[in-house]
Amino acid sequence: MKKRNVKSIQGRQVVPNPIGPECIRVTKVYDWVVLTNRDRNKVQIPEECFAAIEDARHEGNTITATCSEVAGTRSCDFIGATPANIPSVPGAQIVSLAFHVHIRVIFFCNGAPLPGCNFVVPVSFMDEVILCFPEGTEINCNIFDVQCTVVLNQMLGDMVVLDVTMCKDVQVEAEVKLEVEAKFCGPRPVIPIEEDGFVCPTPRFPQQCPTFFPTLNCDCQGAADFSGEATITVTEGTLIPPLGGTTTGQLDLTALVCDQCTLSGSRIQVTFIDTLGPTPIGTPDADLDQSFTFTANDFNQPSCATNAAGVVTGLTATGTGVITPAGGAPENATFTLVLTDGDPGADIAFLTINGSTTDVTISLTSAINLGLVVEVGDCDRFPV
């Protein structure tokens, strides 16, 4: 039996968004540590500045100083590596690295910059760290934070002491091709001891937007299609009992739930044209026109039904949409759609629509409603 206007709903499709393993080219991280250096460096005060400081002090003025990183001067050099004797890590090496930054020092007299006392000095740290550093990988080192303080109470002649803290990120990397499922990771603790004092913060990734990306895949997917004469129930109005009831007419129903296994690939469109007066099959129609259209515009995640063998044979979808009765205004409505894939010859589509004044019940079976086609299938998130 040929299905009309319904897309294929197989779980793994080439277009537009297949679900399954992917091969990607990426930079693989073989090892990752965060290092902290804090040291006091004695730096030379320029001769002109030192003379100005001494003159200001002799006159009873207050001398203060600040130091700060010069933007764009961070650098890191790989010095060399020697094997580390760690039996459980055959590729372990003792890696030597040099980290450099320029620091700007400014002296002030009573809060005002002292002439000739704005100068830049280089600061470097040498580090040795044990890393998993197999042949074919590269070192990628980076300084991600620098803090500096001038220790004025430790001025030694024309030398000033700078208290510098440097936070560094060291990764061992290589370009590889991977088939992966992944989640965020973090650096491991430094081997063999942790540094005391200032603790560098762990690098953080930007916050994601889980409410709308990535989209949540469905566990199952389904489709139904019918066009032909059908007997349904339509009631309207706020009277008790409401107007209408069982009626016969031309019904066109198309439903896709989680097409391509994504919730956004869902739609329901229903058009019903009521046959007024007596019908060929003897349905007791009244003169009331019970025609309507319905379009779903929002879907919840469907629930899936399986048979004894664990095969998905049915689903239930709920959501909201808009129903427009004949001669009436559009109404917000809720819906429930139940699909059963009972091949051969036992397909079922059951749809209820509840608006503010209009309620609809559509119950179709392939045994009675010739031309009804229902398909329900599983969505394979990842192959086992």
Side-chain angles (χ1 to χ4, degrees):
M1 191 173 293
K2 186 175 180 181
K3 180 174 60 174
R4 300 178 301 279
N5 302 321
V6 179
K7 301 178 184 176
S8 174
I9 58 163
Q10 309 219 347
R12 285 178 249 172
Q13 299 193 28
V14 175
V15 178
N17 184 23
I19 298 174
E22 297 288 351
C23 181
I24 59 174
R25 184 179 68 180
V26 295
T27 300
K28 182 184 185 309
V29 177
Y30 285 76
D31 205 354
W32 182 17
V33 295
V34 171
L35 306 174
T36 306
N37 285 112
R38 182 178 182 180
D39 200 4
R40 292 191 169 185
N41 295 262
K42 291 187 295 184
V43 299
Q44 184 81 39
I45 301 175
E47 183 176 345
E48 178 186 0
C49 176
F50 181 67
I53 291 172
E54 290 297 286
D55 290 341
R57 282 179 168 170
H58 290 155
E59 293 172 4
N61 297 304
T62 300
I63 299 298
T64 57
T66 62
C67 59
S68 59
E69 172 194 7
V70 178
T73 62
R74 299 176 181 179
S75 65
C76 169
D77 297 321
F78 169 68
I79 306 301
T82 57
N85 186 20
I86 303 179
S88 60
V89 187
Q93 304 249 8
I94 300 175
V95 178
S96 298
L97 301 166
F99 296 86
H100 315 283
V101 71
H102 286 185
I103 299 294
R104 180 176 300 280
V105 181
I106 304 176
F107 281 84
F108 299 85
C109 176
N110 298 329
L114 202 56
C117 288
N118 185 331
F119 56 96
V120 174
V121 295
V123 173
S124 299
F125 290 100
M126 293 288 297
D127 270 308
E128 287 190 340
V129 58
I130 296 175
L131 296 171
C132 175
F133 185 32
E135 184 177 353
T137 57
E138 297 179 349
I139 298 292
N140 183 352
C141 49
N142 168 58
I143 301 169
F144 64 91
D145 195 20
V146 176
Q147 297 185 6
C148 181
T149 304
V150 179
V151 187
L152 282 174
N153 61 0
Q154 293 190 20
M155 287 186 61
L156 304 172
D158 61 347
M159 306 287 288
V160 66
V161 177
L162 305 181
D163 189 335
V164 179
T165 299
M166 186 182 293
C167 299
K168 298 154 299 182
D169 181 276
V170 182
Q171 295 185 126
V172 183
E173 302 174 343
E175 184 177 274
V176 298
K177 294 179 177 66
L178 297 176
E179 178 183 325
V180 296
E181 295 179 39
K183 64 179 180 178
F184 287 138
C185 61
R188 62 164 174 82
V190 176
I191 299 174
I193 59 174
E194 297 182 3
E195 302 248 359
D196 296 329
F198 180 82
V199 178
C200 290
T202 299
R204 295 186 178 274
F205 298 97
Q207 180 66 41
Q208 290 187 241
C209 305
T211 57
F212 59 87
F213 184 84
T215 55
L216 182 62
N217 289 331
C218 304
D219 291 323
C220 57
Q221 55 189 340
D225 181 69
F226 177 79
S227 180
E229 189 176 71
T231 300
I232 67 174
T233 301
V234 182
T235 59
E236 300 179 61
T238 58
L239 299 176
I240 300 176
L243 300 176
T246 302
T247 183
T248 298
Q250 178 66 29
L251 175 67
D252 290 292
L253 182 152
T254 300
L256 287 171
V257 179
C258 291
D259 189 35
Q260 309 294 338
C261 288
T262 61
L263 197 60
S264 60
S266 301
R267 66 186 179 92
I268 298 176
Q269 182 68 48
V270 181
T271 300
F272 180 72
I273 300 176
D274 186 16
T275 302
L276 299 179
T279 62
I281 61 173
T283 303
D285 285 349
D287 291 333
L288 178 67
D289 186 357
Q290 294 169 266
S291 304
F292 69 90
T293 62
F294 172 74
T295 301
N297 54 27
D298 189 53
F299 286 75
N300 302 315
Q301 280 288 334
S303 59
C304 311
T306 58
N307 60 17
V311 177
V312 174
T313 58
L315 64 78
T316 300
T318 60
T320 60
V322 176
I323 186 170
T324 305
E331 304 174 10
N332 292 327
T334 60
F335 72 86
T336 299
L337 173 68
V338 181
L339 299 181
T340 302
D341 188 348
D343 292 336
D347 289 346
I348 299 173
F350 183 80
L351 174 65
T352 60
I353 305 167
N354 300 109
S356 56
T357 65
T358 305
D359 294 323
V360 174
T361 300
I362 300 173
S363 180
L364 305 176
T365 66
S366 56
I368 297 175
N369 306 100
L370 302 181
L372 172 65
V373 178
V374 174
E375 290 190 7
V376 178
D378 192 11
C379 286
D380 296 326
R381 292 176 183 272
F382 297 99
V384 178

